[in-house]
Amino acid sequence: MEYLIQTENLKFKYSKNKTVLNNMSINVPKGSIYGFLGPNGAGKSTTMRLLTGIIPDDDNAISLFGKPIQEQLPYAFEKIGALVESPALYLHLTGYDNLKYIATLRNIELSKIEEVLELVDLTHAKKNKVKQYSLGMKQRLAIAMALLSDPELLFLDEPVNGLDPNGIVEIRKLLVKLNKEKGVTIFVSSHLLGEIEKMCTHVGIISKGILKYEGTMEMLSKKFNKCKIQVTLDDASTWVEKFTNKYDNVKQEDSQKITLNLNNVSEVPEFTRQIIQDGASVYELKIIEGLEEWFMNLTEN
């Protein structure tokens, strides 16, 4: 498998007593959408800054496109687009002129501007001043800037931060389109687990500077082969002790809800039949699984 990003025992400290990244080795396959996840303060933004050269990699632990990043600067960035911090937009200029400014600085043909405007669905607003843009439009314009050079690799740090639900969906659809139609490899940091689950092919989960998991979404689901369920019934407190004697990880969530683990999903019908036979009045039973549950398990433990 070809990897566009690799780190080997990447370390970083802001001070002698504050380790941010601890021997982190990540591998991002070419053609993937790689979701980089972690709680606040886990080291996501620091990693992004190291990968994009904003913070120097003094240990030479980072490789991009199969070569150490230090050997490629600044030329590697001809193949990279990045939106790492808040987009630097000129609010008094039009969307088109913001892109023209970047294209001129980077010696990119101006004909490329119309192409990226179409790609991010901003052609209709290209003559409007950016101060009139919504937050989602500004975010799409910033992504258009990153796409001007036809990058093979796109870095995005919290690209949907602060957007409303419609804006979030627009950005997700755009990223999936870029990946499928243009073949762009995307490394995206986010705390919105539901969006990552919908669009990413691979994930890396970091906690306190340590990589807790890396691989495909399918591999992650297989890692947690227990079946977690939530059952809603009358007077949960009377059932907690009974369940604790028979099942794993039993927790009372409120006066009516209990969560617990079964060995696998095939045990759900028998579990339901048994507790009803024992006299439980069951209002709801649902299986709890997915990225949010797996993420919490990895980062809390």
Side-chain angles (χ1 to χ4, degrees), residues 248-294:
D248 294 331
N249 201 29
V250 177
K251 293 180 182 176
Q252 182 174 344
E253 305 295 334
D254 60 31
S255 62
Q256 289 189 304
K257 288 183 173 61
I258 298 173
T259 58
L260 55 91
N261 288 345
L262 302 177
N263 290 320
N264 53 65
V265 72
S266 65
E267 293 186 1
V268 172
E270 175 59 25
F271 169 82
T272 309
R273 187 194 65 77
Q274 185 63 54
I275 64 172
I276 292 174
Q277 184 176 304
D278 291 344
S281 297
V282 179
Y283 297 106
E284 182 184 38
L285 188 147
K286 63 181 179 180
I287 298 170
I288 302 174
E289 60 180 9
L291 184 55
E292 182 174 353
E293 183 65 28
W294 303 328

Side-chain angles (χ1 to χ4, degrees), residues 157-173:
D157 189 12
E158 302 285 1
V160 296
N161 203 16
L163 299 188
D164 62 22
N166 286 336
I168 291 171
V169 171
E170 287 173 2
I171 296 296
R172 187 218 314 154
K173 288 181 177 177

Side-chain angles (χ1 to χ4, degrees), residues 177-236:
K177 180 180 178 181
L178 288 171
N179 178 256
K180 290 188 180 303
E181 295 182 9
K182 297 282 188 178
V184 180
T185 301
I186 301 172
F187 184 92
V188 54
S189 162
S190 180
H191 65 278
L192 296 180
L193 303 182
E195 286 305 305
I196 290 292
E197 189 168 15
K198 288 171 186 171
M199 71 179 173
C200 288
T201 59
H202 296 70
V203 292
I205 298 176
I206 183 176
S207 179
K208 298 178 182 177
I210 298 170
L211 191 66
K212 296 288 188 176
Y213 171 82
E214 182 183 67
T216 65
M217 293 294 296
E218 183 181 2
M219 288 167 54
L220 184 56
S221 68
K222 288 179 180 177
K223 180 179 175 70
F224 294 96
N225 54 11
K226 292 278 187 182
C227 174
K228 183 173 182 178
I229 63 169
Q230 181 185 82
V231 57
T232 305
L233 35 62
D234 275 335
D235 194 11

Side-chain angles (χ1 to χ4, degrees), residues 83 89 99 116-117 119-125 133-147 159 163 166-167 170-171 174:
L83 175 57
L89 303 174
L99 289 165
V116 297
L117 281 168
L119 198 60
V120 302
D121 195 25
L122 283 177
T123 302
H124 66 285
Y133 282 18
S134 68
L135 190 57
M137 291 168 71
K138 288 175 183 174
Q139 204 73 349
R140 296 206 308 275
L141 180 62
I143 292 174
M145 290 177 170
L147 295 174
L163 299 188
N166 286 336
E170 287 173 2
I171 296 296
L174 171 59

Side-chain angles (χ1 to χ4, degrees), residues 24-87:
M24 191 171 65
S25 298
I26 62 175
N27 300 276
V28 179
K30 183 176 181 178
S32 65
I33 303 180
Y34 185 104
F36 192 53
L37 311 174
N40 289 337
K44 300 191 304 295
S45 293
T46 300
T47 302
M48 191 76 79
R49 292 186 180 105
L50 283 160
L51 293 176
T52 53
I54 295 172
I55 299 174
D57 170 28
D58 296 329
D59 295 327
N60 214 24
I62 300 172
S63 293
L64 300 180
F65 308 104
K67 296 179 181 178
I69 188 174
Q70 300 291 3
E71 296 177 10
Q72 303 181 73
L73 296 177
Y75 308 107
F77 293 101
E78 294 176 3
K79 299 187 287 183
I80 292 172
L83 175 57
V84 175
E85 296 173 346
S86 299

